[in-house]
Coordinates of all heavy atoms in Angstrom, one line a residue:
S1 N -12.0 -11.7 -7.8 CA -11.1 -12.1 -9.0 C -9.8 -12.6 -8.5 O -9.3 -12.3 -7.4 CB -10.9 -10.8 -9.8 OG -10.1 -9.9 -9.1
V2 N -9.2 -13.4 -9.3 CA -7.9 -14.0 -9.0 C -6.9 -13.5 -9.9 O -7.1 -13.4 -11.1 CB -8.0 -15.6 -9.2 CG1 -6.6 -16.2 -8.9 CG2 -9.0 -16.1 -8.2
R3 N -5.8 -13.0 -9.4 CA -4.7 -12.5 -10.2 C -3.4 -13.2 -9.7 O -3.2 -13.5 -8.6 CB -4.5 -11.0 -9.9 CG -5.7 -10.2 -10.4 CD -5.5 -8.8 -10.1 NE -6.7 -8.0 -10.4 CZ -6.9 -6.8 -10.1 NH1 -6.0 -6.1 -9.4 NH2 -8.0 -6.2 -10.4
R4 N -2.6 -13.5 -10.7 CA -1.3 -14.1 -10.4 C -0.2 -13.1 -10.4 O -0.2 -12.2 -11.3 CB -1.0 -15.3 -11.4 CG -2.0 -16.4 -11.3 CD -1.6 -17.5 -12.2 NE -2.7 -18.5 -12.2 CZ -2.9 -19.4 -11.4 NH1 -2.0 -19.6 -10.4 NH2 -3.9 -20.2 -11.5
S5 N 0.7 -13.2 -9.5 CA 1.8 -12.2 -9.4 C 3.1 -13.0 -9.3 O 3.4 -13.5 -8.2 CB 1.6 -11.4 -8.1 OG 2.8 -10.6 -7.9
P6 N 3.8 -13.2 -10.4 CA 5.0 -14.0 -10.4 C 6.0 -13.5 -9.4 O 6.7 -14.3 -8.7 CB 5.6 -13.9 -11.8 CG 4.4 -13.5 -12.6 CD 3.5 -12.7 -11.7
Q7 N 6.2 -12.2 -9.2 CA 7.2 -11.6 -8.3 C 6.8 -12.0 -6.9 O 7.6 -12.4 -6.1 CB 7.3 -10.1 -8.5 CG 7.8 -9.6 -9.8 CD 6.7 -9.6 -10.8 OE1 5.5 -9.7 -10.6 NE2 7.1 -9.3 -12.1
L8 N 5.5 -11.8 -6.6 CA 5.0 -12.1 -5.2 C 5.1 -13.6 -4.9 O 5.6 -14.0 -3.9 CB 3.6 -11.6 -5.0 CG 3.0 -11.7 -3.6 CD1 3.9 -10.9 -2.7 CD2 1.6 -11.1 -3.6
A9 N 4.7 -14.4 -5.9 CA 4.8 -15.9 -5.8 C 6.3 -16.3 -5.5 O 6.5 -17.1 -4.6 CB 4.3 -16.6 -7.0
E10 N 7.2 -15.7 -6.2 CA 8.6 -16.0 -6.0 C 9.0 -15.6 -4.6 O 9.8 -16.4 -3.9 CB 9.4 -15.3 -7.1 CG 10.9 -15.7 -7.0 CD 11.7 -15.0 -8.1 OE1 11.2 -14.9 -9.2 OE2 12.8 -14.6 -7.7
L11 N 8.6 -14.5 -4.1 CA 9.0 -14.0 -2.9 C 8.5 -14.8 -1.7 O 9.2 -15.2 -0.8 CB 8.5 -12.5 -2.7 CG 8.7 -11.9 -1.3 CD1 10.2 -11.7 -1.1 CD2 7.9 -10.6 -1.1
V12 N 7.2 -15.3 -1.8 CA 6.7 -16.0 -0.7 C 6.5 -17.5 -0.9 O 6.1 -18.2 -0.1 CB 5.3 -15.4 -0.3 CG1 5.5 -14.0 0.3 CG2 4.3 -15.5 -1.4
G13 N 6.8 -17.9 -2.1 CA 6.8 -19.4 -2.5 C 5.4 -20.0 -2.6 O 5.2 -21.1 -2.4
V14 N 4.5 -19.2 -3.0 CA 3.1 -19.6 -3.3 C 2.7 -19.1 -4.7 O 3.4 -18.3 -5.3 CB 2.2 -19.2 -2.2 CG1 2.5 -19.9 -0.9 CG2 2.1 -17.7 -2.1
V15 N 1.6 -19.6 -5.1 CA 1.2 -19.3 -6.5 C -0.2 -18.6 -6.7 O -0.5 -18.2 -7.8 CB 1.2 -20.6 -7.4 CG1 2.6 -21.1 -7.5 CG2 0.3 -21.6 -6.9
S16 N -1.0 -18.5 -5.7 CA -2.3 -18.0 -5.9 C -2.6 -16.8 -5.0 O -2.2 -16.8 -3.9 CB -3.4 -19.1 -5.6 OG -3.2 -20.1 -6.5
R17 N -3.3 -15.9 -5.6 CA -3.7 -14.7 -4.8 C -5.1 -14.3 -5.1 O -5.6 -14.5 -6.2 CB -2.8 -13.5 -5.2 CG -3.1 -12.2 -4.5 CD -2.1 -11.2 -4.9 NE -2.7 -10.4 -6.0 CZ -2.2 -9.3 -6.5 NH1 -1.1 -8.8 -6.0 NH2 -2.7 -8.7 -7.5
N18 N -5.8 -13.8 -4.1 CA -7.2 -13.5 -4.3 C -7.5 -12.2 -3.5 O -6.9 -12.0 -2.5 CB -8.2 -14.6 -3.9 CG -9.6 -14.4 -4.3 OD1 -10.0 -13.3 -4.5 ND2 -10.3 -15.5 -4.6
H19 N -8.4 -11.4 -3.9 CA -8.8 -10.3 -3.1 C -10.3 -9.9 -3.4 O -10.9 -10.3 -4.4 CB -7.9 -9.0 -3.4 CG -8.2 -8.4 -4.8 ND1 -7.5 -8.8 -5.9 CD2 -9.1 -7.5 -5.1 CE1 -7.9 -8.0 -6.9 NE2 -8.9 -7.3 -6.5
I20 N -10.8 -9.2 -2.4 CA -12.2 -8.7 -2.5 C -12.1 -7.2 -2.6 O -11.4 -6.6 -1.8 CB -13.0 -9.2 -1.3 CG1 -13.1 -10.7 -1.2 CG2 -14.4 -8.5 -1.3 CD1 -13.8 -11.2 0.0
T21 N -12.9 -6.6 -3.5 CA -12.9 -5.2 -3.6 C -14.3 -4.7 -3.3 O -15.3 -5.2 -3.7 CB -12.6 -4.8 -5.1 OG1 -11.4 -5.4 -5.5 CG2 -12.5 -3.3 -5.2
R22 N -14.3 -3.7 -2.4 CA -15.6 -3.1 -1.9 C -16.7 -4.0 -1.6 O -17.6 -4.1 -2.4 CB -16.0 -2.0 -2.9 CG -15.2 -0.8 -2.9 CD -15.9 0.3 -3.7 NE -14.8 1.1 -4.3 CZ -15.0 1.8 -5.4 NH1 -16.2 1.8 -6.0 NH2 -14.1 2.5 -5.9
P23 N -16.7 -4.7 -0.5 CA -17.8 -5.6 -0.2 C -19.1 -4.8 -0.1 O -19.1 -3.8 0.5 CB -17.4 -6.2 1.1 CG -16.3 -5.3 1.7 CD -15.7 -4.6 0.5
R24 N -20.1 -5.3 -0.8 CA -21.4 -4.5 -0.9 C -22.4 -4.8 0.2 O -23.2 -4.0 0.6 CB -22.0 -4.7 -2.3 CG -21.2 -4.1 -3.4 CD -21.9 -4.2 -4.7 NE -21.1 -3.5 -5.7 CZ -20.5 -4.2 -6.6 NH1 -20.5 -5.5 -6.7 NH2 -19.7 -3.5 -7.5
R25 N -22.4 -6.1 0.7 CA -23.4 -6.5 1.6 C -23.0 -6.3 3.1 O -23.8 -6.5 4.0 CB -23.8 -7.9 1.3 CG -24.5 -8.0 0.0 CD -24.9 -9.4 -0.2 NE -24.7 -9.6 -1.7 CZ -24.6 -10.8 -2.3 NH1 -24.8 -11.9 -1.6 NH2 -24.4 -10.9 -3.5
V26 N -21.7 -6.1 3.3 CA -21.2 -6.1 4.7 C -20.6 -4.7 4.9 O -19.7 -4.3 4.1 CB -20.2 -7.2 4.9 CG1 -19.6 -7.1 6.3 CG2 -20.7 -8.5 4.6
V27 N -20.9 -4.0 6.0 CA -20.2 -2.8 6.3 C -19.0 -3.3 7.1 O -19.0 -3.9 8.1 CB -21.1 -1.9 7.2 CG1 -20.2 -0.7 7.6 CG2 -22.3 -1.5 6.5
S28 N -17.8 -3.1 6.4 CA -16.6 -3.7 6.9 C -15.6 -2.6 7.2 O -15.6 -1.5 6.6 CB -16.0 -4.6 5.9 OG -14.8 -5.1 6.3
L29 N -14.7 -2.9 8.1 CA -13.5 -2.0 8.3 C -12.7 -1.9 7.0 O -12.0 -0.9 6.7 CB -12.7 -2.6 9.5 CG -11.3 -1.9 9.7 CD1 -11.5 -0.5 10.2 CD2 -10.6 -2.7 10.8
W30 N -12.7 -3.0 6.2 CA -11.8 -3.2 5.1 C -12.5 -2.8 3.8 O -13.5 -3.3 3.5 CB -11.2 -4.6 5.0 CG -10.6 -5.0 6.3 CD1 -11.0 -6.0 7.2 CD2 -9.5 -4.4 7.0 NE1 -10.2 -6.0 8.3 CE2 -9.3 -5.0 8.2 CE3 -8.7 -3.3 6.6 CZ2 -8.3 -4.7 9.1 CZ3 -7.6 -3.0 7.5 CH2 -7.5 -3.6 8.7
R31 N -11.8 -2.0 3.0 CA -12.2 -1.7 1.6 C -11.8 -2.9 0.7 O -12.6 -3.3 -0.1 CB -11.6 -0.4 1.2 CG -11.9 0.0 -0.2 CD -11.4 1.4 -0.5 NE -12.1 2.4 0.2 CZ -13.3 3.0 -0.2 NH1 -13.8 2.6 -1.3 NH2 -13.9 3.9 0.5
T32 N -10.6 -3.3 0.9 CA -10.1 -4.5 0.1 C -9.3 -5.4 1.0 O -8.6 -4.9 1.9 CB -9.3 -4.1 -1.1 OG1 -8.1 -3.4 -0.7 CG2 -10.0 -3.2 -2.1
V33 N -9.3 -6.6 0.7 CA -8.4 -7.6 1.4 C -7.8 -8.5 0.3 O -8.6 -9.2 -0.4 CB -9.2 -8.4 2.5 CG1 -8.2 -9.5 3.1 CG2 -9.7 -7.5 3.6
S34 N -6.5 -8.6 0.2 CA -5.9 -9.4 -0.7 C -5.0 -10.4 0.1 O -4.3 -10.0 1.0 CB -5.0 -8.6 -1.7 OG -5.7 -7.7 -2.4
V35 N -5.1 -11.7 -0.3 CA -4.4 -12.7 0.4 C -3.6 -13.6 -0.6 O -4.2 -14.0 -1.6 CB -5.4 -13.6 1.2 CG1 -4.7 -14.8 1.9 CG2 -6.1 -12.7 2.3
V36 N -2.4 -14.1 -0.2 CA -1.7 -15.0 -1.0 C -1.7 -16.4 -0.3 O -1.5 -16.4 0.9 CB -0.2 -14.6 -1.2 CG1 0.6 -15.7 -1.9 CG2 -0.1 -13.3 -1.9
A37 N -2.1 -17.4 -1.0 CA -2.2 -18.8 -0.4 C -1.8 -19.8 -1.4 O -1.6 -19.5 -2.6 CB -3.6 -19.0 0.1
E38 N -1.6 -21.1 -0.9 CA -1.2 -22.2 -1.8 C -2.3 -22.5 -2.9 O -1.9 -23.0 -3.9 CB -1.1 -23.5 -0.9 CG 0.1 -23.4 0.0 CD 1.4 -23.7 -0.7 OE1 1.4 -24.3 -1.8 OE2 2.5 -23.3 -0.1
S39 N -3.5 -22.2 -2.6 CA -4.6 -22.4 -3.6 C -5.5 -21.2 -3.7 O -5.6 -20.4 -2.8 CB -5.4 -23.7 -3.2 OG -6.2 -23.4 -2.1
C40 N -6.2 -21.1 -4.8 CA -7.2 -20.1 -5.0 C -8.3 -20.2 -4.0 O -8.8 -19.2 -3.5 CB -7.7 -20.1 -6.4 SG -6.6 -19.7 -7.7
T41 N -8.7 -21.4 -3.7 CA -9.7 -21.6 -2.7 C -9.4 -21.1 -1.4 O -10.2 -20.4 -0.7 CB -10.1 -23.1 -2.6 OG1 -10.4 -23.6 -3.9 CG2 -11.2 -23.4 -1.6
T42 N -8.2 -21.3 -0.9 CA -7.7 -20.8 0.4 C -7.6 -19.3 0.4 O -8.0 -18.6 1.3 CB -6.4 -21.5 0.8 OG1 -6.6 -22.9 0.8 CG2 -5.9 -21.0 2.1
A43 N -7.0 -18.8 -0.7 CA -6.9 -17.3 -0.8 C -8.3 -16.7 -0.8 O -8.5 -15.7 -0.1 CB -6.1 -17.0 -2.1
H44 N -9.2 -17.2 -1.5 CA -10.5 -16.6 -1.6 C -11.2 -16.7 -0.2 O -11.8 -15.7 0.3 CB -11.4 -17.3 -2.6 CG -12.8 -16.8 -2.7 ND1 -13.1 -15.6 -3.2 CD2 -13.9 -17.4 -2.3 CE1 -14.4 -15.4 -3.1 NE2 -14.9 -16.5 -2.6
A45 N -11.2 -17.9 0.4 CA -11.8 -18.1 1.7 C -11.2 -17.2 2.8 O -12.0 -16.6 3.6 CB -11.7 -19.6 2.1
S46 N -9.9 -17.0 2.7 CA -9.2 -16.2 3.7 C -9.6 -14.7 3.6 O -9.8 -14.0 4.5 CB -7.7 -16.4 3.6 OG -7.4 -17.8 3.9
S47 N -9.6 -14.3 2.3 CA -9.9 -12.8 2.1 C -11.3 -12.6 2.5 O -11.7 -11.5 3.0 CB -9.5 -12.4 0.7 OG -10.3 -13.1 -0.3
T48 N -12.2 -13.5 2.1 CA -13.6 -13.3 2.4 C -13.9 -13.3 4.0 O -14.6 -12.4 4.5 CB -14.5 -14.4 1.8 OG1 -14.3 -14.4 0.4 CG2 -16.0 -14.3 2.1
A49 N -13.2 -14.2 4.7 CA -13.4 -14.3 6.1 C -12.8 -13.0 6.8 O -13.4 -12.4 7.7 CB -12.7 -15.5 6.7
A50 N -11.7 -12.5 6.2 CA -11.0 -11.3 6.8 C -11.9 -10.1 6.7 O -11.9 -9.3 7.6 CB -9.7 -11.1 6.1
V51 N -12.6 -10.0 5.6 CA -13.5 -8.8 5.5 C -14.5 -8.8 6.6 O -14.8 -7.8 7.2 CB -14.3 -8.9 4.1 CG1 -15.4 -7.9 4.1 CG2 -13.3 -8.6 3.0
G52 N -15.1 -9.9 7.0 CA -16.1 -10.0 8.1 C -15.5 -9.9 9.5 O -16.3 -9.7 10.4
M53 N -14.2 -10.0 9.6 CA -13.6 -10.0 10.9 C -13.2 -8.7 11.5 O -12.9 -8.5 12.6 CB -12.3 -10.9 10.9 CG -12.5 -12.3 10.8 SD -10.9 -13.1 10.8 CE -11.5 -14.8 10.9
G54 N -13.3 -7.7 10.6 CA -12.9 -6.3 11.1 C -11.4 -6.3 11.5 O -10.6 -7.0 10.9
G55 N -11.1 -5.6 12.6 CA -9.8 -5.5 13.1 C -9.1 -6.9 13.5 O -7.9 -7.0 13.5
G56 N -9.9 -7.8 13.8 CA -9.4 -9.2 14.2 C -8.7 -9.9 13.0 O -8.0 -10.8 13.3
A57 N -9.0 -9.4 11.8 CA -8.4 -10.1 10.7 C -6.9 -10.0 10.7 O -6.2 -10.9 10.2 CB -8.9 -9.4 9.4
I58 N -6.3 -8.9 11.2 CA -4.9 -8.7 11.3 C -4.2 -9.9 12.0 O -3.3 -10.5 11.5 CB -4.5 -7.4 11.8 CG1 -5.0 -6.2 10.9 CG2 -3.0 -7.2 12.0 CD1 -4.9 -4.9 11.5
D59 N -4.6 -10.1 13.3 CA -4.0 -11.2 14.0 C -4.3 -12.5 13.4 O -3.5 -13.4 13.4 CB -4.6 -11.1 15.5 CG -4.0 -10.0 16.3 OD1 -2.9 -9.5 15.9 OD2 -4.6 -9.6 17.3
W60 N -5.5 -12.7 12.9 CA -5.9 -14.0 12.3 C -5.0 -14.4 11.1 O -4.5 -15.5 11.1 CB -7.4 -14.0 11.9 CG -7.9 -15.3 11.4 CD1 -8.1 -16.4 12.1 CD2 -8.3 -15.5 10.0 NE1 -8.6 -17.4 11.2 CE2 -8.7 -16.9 10.0 CE3 -8.3 -14.7 8.9 CZ2 -9.2 -17.4 8.8 CZ3 -8.7 -15.3 7.7 CH2 -9.2 -16.7 7.7
L61 N -4.9 -13.4 10.2 CA -4.0 -13.7 9.0 C -2.6 -13.8 9.4 O -1.8 -14.7 8.9 CB -4.2 -12.5 8.0 CG -5.5 -12.5 7.3 CD1 -5.7 -11.1 6.6 CD2 -5.7 -13.6 6.3
T62 N -2.1 -13.1 10.4 CA -0.7 -13.2 10.9 C -0.5 -14.6 11.5 O 0.5 -15.3 11.2 CB -0.4 -12.1 12.0 OG1 -0.6 -10.8 11.4 CG2 1.0 -12.3 12.5
N63 N -1.5 -15.1 12.3 CA -1.4 -16.4 12.9 C -1.4 -17.5 11.8 O -0.7 -18.6 12.0 CB -2.5 -16.7 13.9 CG -2.3 -15.9 15.2 OD1 -1.2 -15.5 15.5 ND2 -3.4 -15.6 15.9
L64 N -2.1 -17.3 10.7 CA -2.1 -18.3 9.6 C -0.9 -18.2 8.7 O -0.6 -19.0 7.9 CB -3.3 -18.1 8.7 CG -4.7 -18.4 9.4 CD1 -5.8 -18.0 8.4 CD2 -4.8 -19.9 9.7
E65 N 0.0 -17.2 9.0 CA 1.2 -16.9 8.2 C 0.9 -16.7 6.7 O 1.6 -17.2 5.9 CB 2.2 -18.0 8.5 CG 2.6 -18.1 9.9 CD 3.7 -19.2 10.2 OE1 4.0 -20.0 9.3 OE2 4.2 -19.2 11.3
L66 N -0.2 -16.0 6.4 CA -0.6 -15.8 5.0 C -0.2 -14.3 4.7 O -0.6 -13.4 5.4 CB -2.1 -16.0 4.8 CG -2.6 -17.4 4.9 CD1 -4.1 -17.4 4.8 CD2 -2.0 -18.2 3.8
P67 N 0.6 -14.1 3.6 CA 0.8 -12.8 3.2 C -0.5 -12.1 2.8 O -1.3 -12.7 2.1 CB 1.8 -12.9 2.0 CG 2.4 -14.3 2.2 CD 1.3 -15.1 2.8
A68 N -0.7 -10.9 3.2 CA -1.9 -10.2 3.0 C -1.7 -8.7 2.9 O -0.8 -8.1 3.4 CB -3.0 -10.5 4.0
R69 N -2.6 -8.0 2.2 CA -2.7 -6.6 2.1 C -4.1 -6.2 2.3 O -5.0 -6.6 1.6 CB -2.3 -6.1 0.7 CG -2.3 -4.6 0.5 CD -1.8 -4.3 -0.9 NE -1.6 -2.9 -1.1 CZ -2.6 -2.1 -1.6 NH1 -3.8 -2.5 -1.9 NH2 -2.4 -0.8 -1.8
L70 N -4.3 -5.4 3.4 CA -5.6 -4.9 3.8 C -5.7 -3.4 3.6 O -4.7 -2.7 4.0 CB -5.9 -5.3 5.2 CG -5.9 -6.8 5.5 CD1 -4.5 -7.2 6.0 CD2 -6.9 -7.1 6.6
V71 N -6.7 -2.9 3.0 CA -6.9 -1.4 2.9 C -8.2 -1.1 3.6 O -9.3 -1.6 3.3 CB -7.0 -1.1 1.4 CG1 -7.2 0.5 1.2 CG2 -5.8 -1.5 0.6
D72 N -8.1 -0.1 4.5 CA -9.3 0.2 5.2 C -10.2 1.3 4.5 O -9.8 1.7 3.4 CB -9.0 0.6 6.7 CG -8.3 2.0 6.8 OD1 -8.3 2.8 5.8 OD2 -7.8 2.3 7.9
Q73 N -11.3 1.7 5.1 CA -12.2 2.6 4.4 C -11.6 4.0 4.2 O -12.1 4.7 3.4 CB -13.5 2.7 5.2 CG -14.3 1.4 5.2 CD -14.7 0.9 3.8 OE1 -14.9 1.6 2.9 NE2 -14.9 -0.4 3.7
E74 N -10.5 4.3 4.9 CA -9.9 5.6 4.7 C -8.6 5.4 3.9 O -7.8 6.3 3.9 CB -9.5 6.1 6.1 CG -10.7 6.1 7.1 CD -11.0 7.5 7.6 OE1 -10.2 8.4 7.5 OE2 -12.2 7.6 8.1
F75 N -8.5 4.3 3.2 CA -7.4 4.0 2.3 C -6.0 3.8 2.9 O -5.0 3.9 2.3 CB -7.3 5.0 1.1 CG -8.5 5.1 0.3 CD1 -9.5 6.0 0.5 CD2 -8.7 4.2 -0.7 CE1 -10.6 6.0 -0.3 CE2 -9.8 4.2 -1.5 CZ -10.8 5.1 -1.3
R76 N -6.0 3.5 4.2 CA -4.8 3.2 4.9 C -4.5 1.7 4.6 O -5.4 0.9 4.6 CB -4.9 3.4 6.4 CG -5.0 4.9 6.8 CD -5.3 5.1 8.2 NE -6.6 4.5 8.6 CZ -7.4 5.0 9.5 NH1 -7.1 6.1 10.1 NH2 -8.6 4.5 9.7
V77 N -3.2 1.4 4.3 CA -2.8 0.1 3.9 C -2.0 -0.6 5.0 O -1.1 0.0 5.6 CB -1.9 0.2 2.6 CG1 -1.4 -1.2 2.2 CG2 -2.7 0.8 1.5
I78 N -2.4 -1.9 5.2 CA -1.6 -2.7 6.2 C -1.2 -3.9 5.4 O -2.0 -4.6 4.7 CB -2.5 -3.1 7.4 CG1 -2.9 -1.9 8.2 CG2 -1.8 -4.2 8.2 CD1 -3.9 -2.2 9.2
T79 N 0.1 -4.2 5.5 CA 0.6 -5.4 4.8 C 1.1 -6.4 5.9 O 1.7 -6.0 6.9 CB 1.8 -5.1 3.8 OG1 2.8 -4.4 4.5 CG2 1.2 -4.3 2.6
L80 N 1.0 -7.7 5.6 CA 1.3 -8.7 6.6 C 2.1 -9.8 5.9 O 1.9 -10.1 4.7 CB 0.0 -9.3 7.2 CG -1.0 -8.4 7.8 CD1 -2.3 -9.2 8.1 CD2 -0.4 -7.8 9.0
G81 N 2.9 -10.6 6.7 CA 3.5 -11.8 6.2 C 4.4 -11.7 5.0 O 4.4 -12.6 4.2
G82 N 5.1 -10.6 4.9 CA 6.0 -10.5 3.8 C 5.5 -10.0 2.5 O 6.1 -10.0 1.4
W83 N 4.3 -9.4 2.5 CA 3.7 -8.8 1.3 C 4.6 -7.7 0.9 O 5.0 -6.9 1.7 CB 2.3 -8.3 1.6 CG 1.6 -7.8 0.4 CD1 1.8 -6.6 -0.2 CD2 0.6 -8.5 -0.3 NE1 0.9 -6.5 -1.3 CE2 0.2 -7.6 -1.4 CE3 0.0 -9.7 -0.2 CZ2 -0.8 -8.0 -2.3 CZ3 -1.0 -10.0 -1.1 CH2 -1.4 -9.2 -2.2
P84 N 5.0 -7.6 -0.4 CA 6.0 -6.6 -0.8 C 5.3 -5.2 -0.7 O 4.1 -5.0 -0.9 CB 6.3 -6.9 -2.2 CG 5.3 -7.9 -2.7 CD 4.7 -8.5 -1.4
S85 N 6.2 -4.2 -0.4 CA 5.6 -2.8 -0.3 C 5.6 -2.1 -1.6 O 6.0 -2.5 -2.6 CB 6.5 -2.0 0.7 OG 7.9 -2.1 0.3

């Protein structure tokens, strides 16, 4: 699903956000991955890819300079790239 967050968009200067909730077909380190990007397509592709990357998603999203919020299977939250707390 795509959700718009005016406060987050203002903070990071972008307009689209996407996240995946509880991926069913992949056993992943991540319960949810939310990403902010210039377009819905980029946000969706980035969050989908991050789910499949496991722990490597943190460095990958950081290198892409995309704000992101990752929640692992134990509900621990990692925020990247200026994602508000």
Side-chain angles (χ1 to χ4, degrees):
S1 67
V2 176
R3 297 180 184 166
R4 296 185 189 273
S5 171
Q7 296 84 7
L8 189 57
E10 183 178 321
L11 175 68
V12 296
V14 294
V15 295
S16 299
R17 180 176 92 170
N18 194 329
H19 72 267
I20 297 175
T21 306
R22 286 194 214 154
R24 291 190 179 104
R25 293 180 219 166
V26 177
V27 176
S28 175
L29 172 65
W30 308 115
R31 178 173 291 275
T32 63
V33 176
S34 303
V35 175
V36 176
E38 292 282 339
S39 71
C40 292
T41 303
T42 301
H44 177 73
S46 299
S47 61
T48 301
V51 167
M53 290 181 172
I58 295 169
D59 288 338
W60 183 71
L61 290 166
T62 299
N63 288 336
L64 292 175
E65 298 180 352
L66 293 174
R69 181 179 186 268
L70 300 90
V71 181
D72 72 11
Q73 297 298 335
E74 310 238 343
F75 297 97
R76 293 176 293 218
V77 176
I78 296 172
T79 57
L80 307 170
W83 187 281
S85 53

